[in-house]
Amino acid sequence: MNQPQLAHTLAEMLPEMAQPQPGTTFANAQLVVLNEALARELGLDPEWLRSHDGVQWLAGSQGGHAMAYSGHQFGQFVPLLGDGRATLLGNLPTTGDQGGYEIQLKGSGLTGFSRPGSDGAGAIGPMLREYLVSEFMHAVGIPTTRSLAVLSTGQHVIRRQGGVPGGIVVRVAKSHLRIGSVQYAATQSTELVEKVIRAAGFDSPVALLQHTLDSQLALVAKWMRIGFVHGVMNTDNAALSGETIDYGPCAFTETYDPDAVFSSIDAQGRYRFGHQPSIAVWNVARLAEALLGVMDQDTAQSILGQAQQRWDAAWNAEVPNPEELAAAEDLFEFNGIVFGPRNGMLERAIVEAERNSNLEPFLELARATQDPFNPDAGPEWMKAPEGAFPFRTFCGT
């Protein structure tokens, strides 16, 4: 197989928001884990991806684009964020006018949007976390970005725990446009807002706003049914496609605990488990504000006024018996999930890979959680609930 030929649909539709990124070469890059099933779904050859040229391609040798966006981070608006450590390689030209799935690298180096003092790199631990949790979410039917591969860069990066191996996750998504993309466009011109709407696949701002409200609430209902706590629901982490994106400080609560918070950066509990529906609506309200230059305010308010009704419908569709869910001793077991990424075991597997270069615990957990309803997919000890214990997650990318 020759090198896959990617289109650059998003960058061509939104050149005002796309900054070209040169190719990067990591002489000692190695493939840590490859999602062969996803590769085949995308029409890619796993054998070629494992070759030297394939590994360099996955590490970004061909370059791509970093995309601009804004965002409300913990309620505070930041006019320019953008891909500070990510490069959009392009999209597979396979489906429809908008092109096929987009492929993005996270942790591949500095971009023009990198924050002051950032190295633009990723640590291997958070990349392994995103790979495993996103593929588990896909396996249990929750809309999500996917993970094609994780690579080690052969370099070390400095994080809170000292020097750790550098890593890249190769992310696959329907689209990487976010609420923050529309917010950025609104700081520039109404013409750019209209272009983002079209690039997202919608023919009007009304259609975009209604879809985003419905898809975000449906997504959060699916999260909460299995105990997922996203941890950093900023508007730049709310995908217009309705997919879960950015797994930095995520975790799972085994019981239905509205006050469950795991993220070390969420000191006030803004993104706690039970507050996620309200935050989703708050984020969509920020989208509505960004669209006011191209749509009527009364129409926007009318759509937002449906939020409670839409949430009730989404929640009832996911959880017909909420009292039983609230009383469940283990949300994975309640949903028939035999193998899930329980906080402690996932953390131990990541630490073992990060500190001791021992991938076997991670790979064993990944195999089981990608087949989560199959009782034979993993060892017996991996099925047991862990119970409540102090646990904190760190973005750490």
Side-chain angles (χ1 to χ4, degrees):
M1 174 181 174
N2 295 322
Q3 176 176 305
Q5 297 302 306
L6 300 181
H8 300 283
T9 304
L10 192 60
E12 291 169 359
M13 295 184 77
L14 300 171
E16 305 92 331
M17 297 171 62
Q19 185 176 99
Q21 285 296 116
T24 54
T25 300
F26 295 95
N28 297 314
Q30 292 186 342
L31 193 60
V32 175
V33 57
L34 176 66
N35 190 337
E36 293 194 3
L38 177 57
R40 293 189 183 95
E41 286 179 36
L42 297 173
L44 303 174
D45 180 2
E47 184 175 348
W48 183 84
L49 292 174
R50 291 185 181 279
S51 71
H52 176 269
D53 289 346
V55 170
Q56 290 300 316
W57 183 82
L58 287 169
S61 61
Q62 74 280 26
H65 295 84
M67 301 301 297
Y69 50 83
S70 303
H72 277 85
Q73 298 198 317
F74 290 88
Q76 302 301 310
F77 183 63
V78 183
L80 180 59
L81 291 167
D83 290 327
R85 64 176 83 246
T87 297
L88 181 64
L89 297 186
N91 57 287
L92 294 161
T94 54
T95 57
D97 294 337
Q98 302 303 318
Y101 282 91
E102 295 176 353
I103 300 179
Q104 184 195 61
L105 307 183
K106 185 175 181 180
S108 54
L110 290 168
T111 77
F113 301 116
S114 297
R115 320 301 183 252
S118 170
D119 55 14
I124 194 72
M127 306 309 164
L128 291 172
R129 179 184 298 276
E130 174 155 339
Y131 181 97
L132 190 143
V133 180
S134 66
E135 288 306 300
F136 165 75
M137 297 285 269
H138 172 73
V140 297
I142 295 177
T144 179
T145 59
R146 303 285 305 278
S147 293
L148 177 60
V150 174
L151 299 96
S152 62
T153 62
Q155 302 175 354
H156 271 67
V157 297
I158 303 301
R159 295 296 183 263
R160 62 179 179 82
Q161 66 271 48
V164 295
I168 296 170
V169 65
V170 185
R171 177 192 283 166
V172 176
K174 293 178 181 177
S175 171
H176 286 87
L177 289 173
R178 316 133 190 272
I179 288 177
S181 304
V182 183
Q183 290 181 292
Y184 174 80
T187 69
Q188 305 300 304
S189 68
T190 56
E191 290 77 15
L192 187 55
V193 172
E194 290 171 340
K195 291 176 71 173
V196 172
I197 293 169
R198 291 193 294 272
F202 297 91
D203 58 10
S204 72
V206 173
L208 171 61
L209 185 60
Q210 186 71 70
H211 168 84
T212 306
L213 177 65
D214 290 345
S215 63
Q216 287 294 310
L217 290 177
L219 181 64
V220 170
K222 292 178 185 294
W223 288 355
M224 294 181 65
R225 176 171 54 82
I226 66 166
F228 179 73
V229 187
H230 185 277
V232 62
M233 289 178 66
N234 300 328
T235 58
D236 53 294
N237 292 330
L240 298 179
S241 65
E243 294 177 309
T244 310
I245 189 170
D246 198 334
Y247 286 89
C250 73
F252 293 86
T253 176
E254 290 188 341
T255 60
Y256 192 91
D257 178 3
D259 294 325
V261 178
F262 300 101
S263 172
S264 61
I265 60 175
D266 191 8
Q268 304 302 315
R270 176 181 175 85
Y271 299 138
R272 62 192 181 275
F273 178 68
H275 202 219
Q276 292 179 123
S278 296
I279 289 295
V281 175
W282 192 92
N283 287 345
V284 176
R286 305 290 77 75
L287 172 62
E289 290 172 351
L291 291 170
L292 287 180
V294 295
M295 73 178 295
D296 178 75
Q297 182 172 344
D298 290 342
T299 303
Q301 289 177 333
S302 176
I303 292 172
L304 292 174
Q306 304 168 12
Q308 186 63 54
Q309 176 187 354
R310 298 286 182 165
W311 167 250
D312 291 342
W315 186 238
N316 291 335
E318 287 298 320
V319 185
N321 300 301
E323 295 82 6
E324 294 181 11
L325 184 77
E329 294 183 1
D330 183 74
L331 293 178
F332 283 166
E333 290 182 359
F334 180 83
N335 286 282
I337 296 169
V338 182
F339 296 105
R342 299 185 186 275
N343 297 336
M345 67 176 67
L346 175 56
E347 186 66 20
R348 289 190 295 273
I350 289 173
V351 168
E352 186 67 14
E354 192 172 64
R355 295 182 183 174
N356 300 322
S357 300
N358 177 15
L359 280 168
E360 189 49 43
F362 174 84
L363 295 175
E364 183 180 43
L365 183 59
R367 285 191 294 268
T369 56
Q370 287 176 33
D371 193 8
F373 302 108
N374 177 5
D376 298 321
E380 196 68 24
W381 65 264
M382 203 179 281
K383 301 176 182 179
E386 294 178 325
F389 65 97
F391 183 73
R392 282 288 176 266
T393 55
F394 300 84
C395 282
T397 51

